Every structure is written in C-alpha cells, then in structure tokens.
Amino acid sequence: MQIGEVADRTGLSLRTIRHYEEVGLVVPSARTKGGFRLYTAPDIDRLMVIRRMKPLDFSLEEMRDLLSITDRLSAAEPPEEAERERLRERLDAYRKVADARCETLRAQLMAAEDFAATLRRRLGPRN
C-alpha cells in the first residue's frame, strides 16, 4: 500500500507517518521505482501500535525501545531463554506503565464528564 492508503487505514497524517520513518519507528517495506513508499500489513500493525502508545505519553525513545523488544521477541530466530526472560521483564514494565497511565486517563475522563454534567445541570432543562 502507498502512504495515502496507510494514512486512511491508520488515521495518521502523511506528515506523522513520514516523521515516524525519519525517527526510525517504522520503515516502509519497499519503494516503487519512482521512490514512493510501500507498506505491508505488518507495517500498518506497527503504526497502529505506535498510534496506541501516543495518548499514553510514551516518548519516541520509549516507543523505539518497546518496539525493539517486541521485534526481538517475535524474530524468526528467537532469543535464548535468558535474553527472552529479560525482554519479557522489560515488556512487563512497559505494560505496568501503560496500565498506570490508563488509570490516570480514566480519572481525568471521569472528572471531565462530571464537569460537563455540572454544566448541563446549571443550564437546566431545554425548552
């Protein structure tokens, strides 16, 4: 798929996808003879992982590290047991961070919804 179709499928802008390529988070699987980027389904999956990390305020370096961990764990040549266990521990640390950040977002959403409800009550019934 070319970058425009990838943008449509992921909800990311062309600029964002190009930026993620520039910083090394995703690399198109191929290029056309004319130099257009070509992406595969796994490339789109990777972009979706990045997209899901963004609202949780993961830095580019954290994203790069987490993607490196998952790449290594799913590599064709699996890591040896000791390395695999170390990678799984690091992945679990990211999971804990993600869980904590989700909880923070839930609390913020509850506060925002409470505020919106307060405003609706102050407006009273609509005629």
Side-chain angles (χ1 to χ4, degrees):
M1 288 167 267
Q2 289 190 358
I3 194 169
E5 185 177 349
V6 172
D8 289 342
R9 286 186 180 216
T10 62
L12 297 169
S13 69
L14 300 175
R15 183 177 178 189
T16 297
I17 295 169
R18 288 184 189 113
H19 174 69
Y20 289 155
E21 180 185 355
E22 288 171 14
V23 298
L25 292 178
V26 67
V27 177
S29 290
R31 288 195 181 254
T32 65
K33 289 181 183 179
F36 293 103
R37 297 163 175 85
L38 294 175
Y39 296 87
T40 60
D43 297 330
I44 291 174
D45 291 344
R46 187 176 186 91
L47 283 165
M48 291 305 294
V49 168
I50 295 166
R51 180 177 171 210
R52 290 179 188 114
M53 293 172 75
K54 191 75 173 137
L56 297 177
D57 288 330
F58 282 98
S59 69
L60 290 175
E61 189 56 43
E62 289 171 322
M63 289 179 188
R64 192 176 294 111
D65 185 46
L66 192 142
L67 290 167
S68 171
I69 292 167
T70 58
D71 288 347
R72 187 66 186 113
L73 285 170
S74 63
E77 185 178 314
E80 292 187 19
E81 184 63 32
E83 181 186 2
R84 188 171 70 78
E85 189 56 36
R86 184 181 59 80
L87 291 169
R88 289 181 56 77
E89 286 174 7
R90 288 174 53 205
L91 189 60
D92 190 48
Y94 278 113
R95 182 202 49 85
K96 289 175 183 173
V97 169
D99 285 347
R101 291 178 183 177
C102 284
E103 190 56 39
T104 298
L105 287 172
R106 278 192 219 48
Q108 289 173 344
L109 179 59
M110 284 178 60
E113 287 174 336
D114 184 52
F115 175 68
T118 298
L119 293 177
R120 283 191 299 276
R121 282 192 303 275
R122 289 188 181 189
L123 283 172
R126 293 188 135 211
N127 296 330

